[in-house]
Each structure stands twice: as C-alpha cells, then as structure tokens.
Amino acid sequence: MLKVSDIVREGKGILLQGDLEQVCGNFSIDTRTINNGEVYVSIIGEDLDGNDYVYDAIDKGASICIISKKLDIPKKEGLSIIYVEDTIICLKNLARYIISNFKGKIVGITGSVGKTSTKDMLYSVVKTKYKTLATNGSFNNDIGLPLTILRYTDEEVMILEMGMNGMGEIKELTSVASPDIAIITNIGTAHIGLLGSRENILKAKLEIKEGSKKDAKLIINNDNDMLHKYYLDNINDKSIITVGIDNDSLYKAEDVSIYSDYSTFVVNNDKFKVNVGTKVFVYNALIAYALGHILGISDDLIEEGIENFTLSKKRLDIKTNKKGVVIIDDTYNANFDSMKAGLEVLGKRSEQRKIAVLGDMRELGEYSIQLHRDLADEVIKNNIDILVCVGHEMKYLEDEMKKKNSDVKVYSFDKNTDTHEFLDNLLKKGDVVLFKSSKLTNLTEVVIYLMK
C-alpha cells in the first residue's frame, strides 16, 4: 500500500499538513463518488478545476488530498494535504513506482475499435487462473490508466486499456505501464479526422511497442488489412503473435458460425462458444485464446472464461423495456467499424422487426461525409427494416439510403428528444432496436427514456 511519503517522494510534492506514514486508500478524482478514507486528486480539466472541490472532498471523508494550488485548508486530525505542481504527472509517477515493483505480467491493449470489449474478454479468461486487475470501462487515457494501476493490491496480472486521440499518446501511456504483452485489436477509422490517414493511425497504435519491455510479445488481428501488411513487412519478427479467421495465422479460427445470440468457432481442434452473435467477438476470443496460451492457462479454463465473459455497460447491452421491446444499447461510442459490428449483431437477431437508431459519428474530419454514406450498404446488407437517423451528419446516410432505393424505411431527426414521441408510437412488442452513436451525441438519453 502506498503511503503519504510515497506521494511526496514520487510526486515531488510538499506535505502541507498530515502524517508521512499515513496509508493511502483508493484514489478518486470525483467528489460526487468519493468515499470515506479515499485519496482525492484535484485534476484541472478544460471546464473544471479540481482544486475548487477540495473542501467538498474533505467534507465527504477524503483522508488525503493532492492539490496543485496552495489553499488555506484548516488542519484536521487524520487529514494529509500534499501540494504538487501537476497532479496528472504525480499520478503517472506514482503508477510508474507501482509498476517498477510489480512482479507479475502487464498486458496493454489498444486498437481503433473493440478495446473495451476485448479487455472484458481477456479479463474473463485471465481471472480463471490469476488474480487480475483490469481497466474499469474505458478508463484508458493519461488519467484513467494511472488510476487503474493505483488500484493494485496483490494481483498477478494487469490488463490495461490504452486509448488515444493523436500521435505520442500511446507512447506516453506505455512509458507508464511498460507492458510484457501488447495487443492491437485493429486499425480502423476512429480519430481519422485528427490523424489524417489510417497509415497514421497504425503508426500511433504501434507506439504501444515503444514503451513495452524488450522481450514483449505483440498480438495482432491478422485479418485487419493494415495489421496484415505490417505483419508481412515484419514476417521474421518472432515477437508478433497473429490471430485470424481469413488469413493464415498462429491462432486461426475454423468452422466459424454466427447466430443471433452467440457465435462458435474451432481453434486447434477445440470448439469455443462466444455469447455474442458477431464475427468481431470471435476475434476478441482469439486474442483471449492467444493471451491465455502465453500466460500458461489451460484450454479448459480459456473456454470457461470465453463463455462466461460479460461486457461493460452501454456496449451491446441488451435489455427489454416494459412494452416488450428488446433494446441493444451500444451508445458508449461509435466509428465506422463499430457501427458495422453493431448492425451485424442487429441483423442476426430473430425478432419481428429490426430497427436501427443511429446518431452521428464524430472525429472523422474530411472523411465524415463519405463514412456516413458508406453505412448505407451495411444497413441494407444486414436486412434492417427501419432506420432512424439522428443528427446533422446522419443526414448523409439518409440521403444515401434514398439513392439506394432500398426497402428500408428511413426517418430522420435533428435532435434526440425529437425521436421520443415517434419511437413511442413506432416500437411494439416483438421489435429489436439498436442504439448506436458517438458518446458526445448522448443518444443514451433516448435509451433511458424508453426504459422508463
């Protein structure tokens, strides 16, 4: 367990009051959820300054506060206050300190889409044999990753998700985590508006190798066109572990079958079942299988982990409302590749009508118009009955659907709230409806409304 003295030393801080020997509880950056005895870290963001909430944190029971402004805080028994110049740098340095003393294995995972769902499956497999610490949800940036590491107690494996918006960010995260095993799920179009090309996205994701240990393994999806080319360009690199369905790979799935509620495949003559009906999750399971073998987990335990995994909330989260409508809540985030995957899941469902409510995809820059238009083929291919477009960018999908002259009924709305009355009248028992959009569109608000 960390002590106040560790924060002062590693964070290059100044103890303003308190006890150097005081033991740290859990770390929190949010006074709305902070618990008694926890460490409050005052993060300065774009809109909020965490230093403004220190008194609130103390009132709610924070026993240690890390601040970056020298505030006039009255002395209180059992309360330690540490001043540092930059609280985010402090968090990173504390995480590095834990990693430097960690004797287990560290798994770092990145990719354009599927990081969190793959992480969930990896966790389900690895925990069958080892005490395992994994990222909560998609807490995967320069704040979330250190906070995950700071949850460490006595685990034997850490599974750390790593996200990015631009060049250099994955490199910085791996400089903190130093993975023994790195994973890239795929290279798609997420953040292409910021990075300019898929080639640049590949370069950014490959930064995961830079901070990894010298003998680290790299697991990649060999069916992804960009990663397949990277593998062929580095075919003699024995550290690269490939998984695939279509291309010859070290771990190749055979006899893949996709059903409405599950998928099955065979690898190395063993049959596995995944409780999601889409090809994407077969790749997730293959990555988990490869990691399991690297960590010495038996096939029986790998099979158990794959069959029993559960997804983080708002990621293909299936629920039924009072009217008997099946709702697939996949509103956490969206890009073209994850939209394709969501529509594939919807297309495999056996309910009477398949309805897709799609909101704008963000951070696509000059590619936005074409990528929204390209979704039309995916809607038609998956036999969607009704398409509901929400937002400005989705009007390009609406326009493309009209050009296709398909049998899909298409409706368009400017705002989430505009859909409420329409969906109330449209949806009936026996329908299944997919909600999918980028997080910033807040399409989850419509899901909440329909679940009341």
Side-chain angles (χ1 to χ4, degrees), residues 184 187 202 206 209 218 220 222 224-237 239-240:
I184 304 177
I187 304 298
L202 174 63
L206 283 170
K209 293 184 63 180
L218 174 64
I220 63 170
N222 198 32
N224 178 265
D225 59 337
M226 301 295 290
L227 290 172
H228 181 61
K229 182 180 184 302
Y230 170 77
Y231 168 64
L232 293 178
D233 291 342
N234 298 272
I235 199 162
N236 294 319
D237 186 345
S239 69
I240 300 176

Side-chain angles (χ1 to χ4, degrees), residues 128-387:
T128 61
K129 182 173 180 179
Y130 300 103
K131 290 183 179 179
T132 307
L133 173 66
T135 303
N136 281 335
S138 58
F139 229 41
N140 60 20
N141 62 8
D142 62 342
I143 299 171
L145 181 131
L147 286 173
T148 298
I149 295 170
L150 289 169
R151 287 170 38 220
Y152 168 73
T153 54
D154 61 348
E155 290 85 1
E156 300 164 285
V157 178
M158 293 189 194
I159 301 174
L160 305 174
E161 185 179 329
M162 299 179 181
M164 64 89 191
N165 293 313
M167 292 290 187
E169 295 182 13
I170 297 291
K171 180 180 179 180
E172 175 64 17
L173 295 179
T174 57
S175 77
V176 174
S178 189
D180 298 279
I181 303 155
I183 297 168
I184 304 177
T185 60
N186 49 51
I187 304 298
T189 57
H191 310 302
I192 196 169
L194 300 173
L195 287 163
S197 68
R198 292 182 70 219
E199 287 75 16
N200 284 341
I201 295 172
L202 174 63
K203 289 177 184 177
K205 298 299 184 183
L206 283 170
E207 289 175 2
I208 198 170
K209 293 184 63 180
E210 296 187 37
S212 296
K213 293 182 175 65
K214 288 184 179 180
D215 58 348
K217 300 291 186 183
L218 174 64
I219 303 174
I220 63 170
N221 176 351
N222 198 32
D223 286 350
N224 178 265
D225 59 337
M226 301 295 290
L227 290 172
H228 181 61
K229 182 180 184 302
Y230 170 77
Y231 168 64
L232 293 178
D233 291 342
N234 298 272
I235 199 162
N236 294 319
D237 186 345
K238 302 303 180 185
S239 69
I240 300 176
I241 307 296
T242 55
V243 304
I245 298 172
D246 302 318
N247 291 319
D248 286 336
S249 303
L250 181 60
Y251 299 105
K252 183 178 182 182
E254 308 280 356
D255 299 328
V256 177
S257 297
I258 310 296
Y259 303 96
S260 60
D261 296 320
Y262 67 95
S263 310
T264 61
F265 66 95
V266 174
V267 61
N268 291 344
N269 296 318
D270 288 323
K271 188 172 183 178
F272 294 85
K273 178 183 177 182
V274 189
N275 57 11
V276 182
T278 173
K279 190 176 180 181
V280 170
F281 282 81
V282 175
Y283 288 115
N284 294 353
L286 284 171
I287 291 170
Y289 183 85
L291 177 63
H293 273 233
I294 293 172
L295 295 178
I297 302 174
S298 70
D299 283 1
D300 286 344
L301 288 179
I302 293 173
E303 181 179 355
E304 176 186 323
I306 289 174
E307 288 195 14
N308 293 326
F309 99 101
T310 56
L311 281 164
S312 296
K313 292 297 182 183
K314 299 181 185 177
R315 289 170 174 83
L316 295 177
D317 188 10
I318 300 174
K319 42 204 169 188
T320 304
N321 73 1
K322 293 178 181 178
K323 291 174 65 174
V325 177
V326 176
I327 293 174
I328 304 174
D329 183 357
D330 201 15
T331 56
Y332 183 81
N333 221 334
N335 53 55
F336 182 76
D337 303 284
S338 65
M339 281 282 192
K340 285 175 61 177
L343 288 167
E344 181 186 353
V345 170
L346 179 62
K348 293 291 182 181
R349 299 289 301 193
S350 57
E351 280 81 3
Q352 184 174 340
R353 294 192 301 177
K354 302 178 182 68
I355 300 161
V357 181
L358 306 182
D360 291 346
M361 300 181 289
R362 300 291 181 87
E363 297 181 337
L364 298 178
E366 63 184 279
Y367 298 88
S368 184
I369 294 175
Q370 189 57 52
L371 288 172
H372 279 85
R373 289 186 179 278
D374 288 346
L375 285 174
D377 289 334
E378 303 303 319
V379 171
I380 295 168
K381 180 173 70 176
N382 286 289
N383 298 311
I384 307 306
D385 297 299
I386 299 172
L387 171 65

Side-chain angles (χ1 to χ4, degrees), residues 86-104:
D86 188 313
T87 52
I88 296 177
I89 291 176
C90 176
L91 283 177
K92 291 178 183 177
N93 287 338
L94 289 172
R96 288 188 179 99
Y97 174 67
I98 289 174
I99 293 296
S100 69
N101 292 285
F102 181 63
K103 305 302 180 185

